[in-house]
Amino acid sequence: MGLWHSLPSICTPKKAHTLIASAGGLLCFSALEGRHDELFICNPLRRECKQLPDMHHKRQLGFVNMFMDAKSRSYRIVAAGDYSYLGGTSRALPTEVYDSKSNSWTIYNSMPIGNLHSSKSAFCNGRLYCLTSSPCGLVAFDMDRGSWESIPVRMPRSLLDAFLVAGEYGHLLLVGRVGLYSVHQSMRIWELNLQKLDWDEVGKMPHSLFKSLLKSSAESFQCFGHGNFICFSAQKQQKWLVYDSFKRFWQWFGGCPLLPVPPGKRLRGIFYEPRLDAVVH
């Protein structure tokens, strides 16, 4: 761990330059065509790319996530919202799910509950969990029933911002910054306890690492991961901080030398598992 590897050139059309999701060795890109998004699935290692058929409701997608079935090696994509409406406010449109086995979209009349963000969601045990804002809460989309539901779980007190991670053994993790004042802020990791409808704290970032990651209390951070690895980056930070929850070990590694970052800009990270057996169908 700690080394950067260059992937083969991704064979998506030039207009498809926004990476929005990944699962099981596949990457999902979007491209704005007029006032609606087109989606592309690719495997860089196999140099394969496929444009998905249009959804029933063409839209500028407000939310997208992707799930890979480990047994069948088929994948599904959940799409919701429409940010082309009313100057950026997400419009309530039916949720649509793409299934690679049928190469088609299915409409589910269930609407998302609250404003959702793709970067704050994770698949776990057949459900797509998502954080909502204003108020902060947890919702889930049941992949089998095709419906959204609100999870009445108590959120941690003084939670400032947070992300979801699909952890090991089917555990859903909440990674977030808590605290009312800059001197009392900290980064915590919780595990969802559905029986108690609460979050159990399972980890905490050492204070020295927290202060090195975030230079000020107003600075934002990004978090993504899968299994026992959680990766952190910050707005003004050129390094990445990785936490191995199995070994309970924290490690810094430098920015990517293969992709220089212009001053004031930040790279966006996403979990990716390189696989030669992942096909776009």
Side-chain angles (χ1 to χ4, degrees), residues 94-257:
T95 301
E96 297 194 36
V97 177
Y98 172 82
D99 192 328
S100 65
K101 290 187 291 186
S102 62
N103 189 34
S104 63
W105 292 90
T106 300
I107 298 178
Y108 294 99
N109 289 324
S110 178
M111 305 290 184
I113 305 169
N115 291 325
L116 309 180
H117 303 277
S118 302
S119 63
K120 300 191 175 189
S121 62
F123 275 101
C124 191
N125 300 322
R127 282 176 159 187
L128 173 59
Y129 289 92
C130 311
L131 291 177
T132 61
S133 56
S134 301
C136 180
L138 183 69
V139 299
F141 181 76
D142 190 297
M143 298 296 292
D144 293 327
R145 294 186 299 171
S147 61
W148 290 94
E149 62 178 309
S150 179
I151 309 298
V153 59
R154 291 177 294 184
M155 302 302 290
R157 295 183 61 182
S158 305
L159 185 65
L160 298 175
D161 44 6
F163 295 83
L164 294 177
V165 172
E168 288 277 82
Y169 311 114
H171 295 157
L172 181 68
L173 303 179
L174 174 69
V175 183
R177 175 170 53 175
V178 296
L180 296 177
Y181 306 101
S182 59
V183 293
H184 296 136
Q185 288 186 8
S186 61
M187 194 78 71
R188 310 290 179 99
I189 304 172
W190 299 268
E191 181 182 302
L192 178 62
N193 188 325
L194 282 174
Q195 291 184 338
K196 297 192 303 181
L197 288 176
D198 206 349
W199 296 97
D200 298 330
E201 186 171 322
V202 294
K204 179 181 178 181
M205 182 183 293
H207 187 68
S208 59
L209 293 179
F210 176 77
K211 297 300 290 184
S212 297
L213 177 71
L214 297 173
K215 303 299 183 182
S216 70
S217 60
E219 191 175 352
S220 63
F221 78 99
Q222 179 195 5
C223 169
F224 60 94
H226 188 82
N228 59 305
F229 290 107
I230 303 174
C231 187
F232 298 83
S233 67
Q235 187 175 357
K236 299 179 181 179
Q237 186 65 258
Q238 298 300 318
K239 298 186 296 182
W240 301 72
L241 180 61
V242 175
Y243 176 59
D244 186 333
S245 61
F246 181 73
K247 298 180 179 179
R248 296 188 178 276
F249 180 73
W250 299 84
Q251 178 180 355
W252 286 102
F253 64 95
C256 179

Side-chain angles (χ1 to χ4, degrees), residues 16-148:
H17 54 76
T18 304
L19 176 59
I20 55 176
S22 73
L26 299 179
L27 299 175
C28 180
F29 291 83
S30 70
L32 187 60
E33 183 65 32
R35 297 197 61 179
H36 70 274
D37 281 324
E38 295 177 341
L39 296 180
F40 299 82
I41 301 296
C42 78
N43 183 338
L45 298 186
R46 295 171 62 103
R47 296 181 178 273
E48 293 179 347
C49 181
K50 169 186 176 179
Q51 181 176 349
L52 299 188
D54 289 336
M55 289 179 287
H56 298 276
H57 294 272
K58 293 185 178 181
R59 61 185 92 177
Q60 189 174 331
L61 290 164
F63 175 86
V64 179
N65 209 323
M66 185 176 181
F67 168 75
M68 172 71 77
D69 188 299
K71 293 183 179 179
S72 66
R73 303 303 302 168
S74 62
Y75 59 91
R76 285 181 283 180
I77 296 174
V78 179
D82 180 5
Y83 278 126
S84 65
Y85 184 67
L86 293 180
T89 302
S90 183
R91 179 172 52 161
L93 285 175
T95 301
E96 297 194 36
V97 177
Y98 172 82
D99 192 328
S100 65
K101 290 187 291 186
S102 62
N103 189 34
S104 63
W105 292 90
T106 300
I107 298 178
Y108 294 99
N109 289 324
S110 178
M111 305 290 184
I113 305 169
N115 291 325
L116 309 180
H117 303 277
S118 302
S119 63
K120 300 191 175 189
S121 62
F123 275 101
C124 191
N125 300 322
R127 282 176 159 187
L128 173 59
Y129 289 92
C130 311
L131 291 177
T132 61
S133 56
S134 301
C136 180
L138 183 69
V139 299
F141 181 76
D142 190 297
M143 298 296 292
D144 293 327
R145 294 186 299 171
S147 61
W148 290 94

